[in-house]
């Protein structure tokens, strides 16, 4: 069983930065395909960024590409989401997700691909 614990959310001004962390237990992160999703009330969970297991090839949705970077630290068994140039529309509850499978690229952005989820961490971008 994999457990995921997110941290690092908070209140930040527009243009600021935050780094979210997702600490995994039960399996090493390089054996998992992992992703970050976000959700605002009344809307579906939205894919933000992810990385495949093994080599860790990364992917990001167009609205955050160039601003957000996903990475992992195998030694700390943690995945990160570095968020720069934050905008008010980035405000959401951010979730970490993982699967032990090997999803194809087109499935990485689909929430049902993932078997394990964290509890979420709130990010609020406001002046």
């Amino acid at each position: 069983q994999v457990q995921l614990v997110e941290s690092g959310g908070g209140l930040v001004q527009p243009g600021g930065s935050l780094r979210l962390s997702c600490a995994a237990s039960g399996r090493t992160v390089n054996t998992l395909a992992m992703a970050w999703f976000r959700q605002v009330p009344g809307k579906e969970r939205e894919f933000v960024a992810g990385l495949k297991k093994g080599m860790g090839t990364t992917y990001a949705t167009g609205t955050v590409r160039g601003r957000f970077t996903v990475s992992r630290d195998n030694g700390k068994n943690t995945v990160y989401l570095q968020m720069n140039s934050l905008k008010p529309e980035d405000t959401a509850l951010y979730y970490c997700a993982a699967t032990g499978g090997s999803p194809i690229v087109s499935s990485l952005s689909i929430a049902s691909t993932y078997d394990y989820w964290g509890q979420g961490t709130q990010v609020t971008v406001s002046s």
Side-chain angles (χ1 to χ4, degrees):
Q1 187 74 1
V2 175
Q3 294 185 328
L4 305 172
V5 179
E6 302 101 330
S7 61
L11 173 64
V12 63
Q13 292 187 340
S17 298
L18 280 176
R19 188 177 78 160
L20 306 184
S21 300
C22 173
S25 59
R27 281 182 68 164
T28 55
V29 292
N30 61 344
T31 68
L32 298 165
M34 300 191 68
W36 289 94
F37 285 76
R38 64 187 181 187
Q39 189 170 26
V40 297
K43 292 190 176 182
E44 292 187 358
R45 204 163 288 191
E46 175 192 26
F47 173 78
V48 176
L51 70 171
K52 299 182 75 173
K53 64 181 179 182
M55 293 297 291
T57 306
T58 62
Y59 302 86
T61 191
T63 56
V64 307
R65 201 171 296 139
R67 299 189 297 124
F68 293 10
T69 303
V70 60
S71 63
R72 72 183 183 206
D73 185 327
N74 294 336
K76 294 183 178 180
N77 216 37
T78 298
V79 170
Y80 301 99
L81 183 67
Q82 178 67 44
M83 304 186 296
N84 300 326
S85 302
L86 282 161
K87 305 176 181 180
E89 52 263 42
D90 294 318
T91 295
L93 187 60
Y94 282 71
Y95 294 93
C96 177
T99 178
S102 298
I104 58 176
V105 172
S106 60
S107 297
L108 289 172
S109 62
I110 301 173
S112 59
T113 295
Y114 299 90
D115 305 305
Y116 309 103
W117 292 84
Q119 80 289 350
T121 185
Q122 178 67 37
V123 172
T124 302
V125 185
S126 175
S127 56

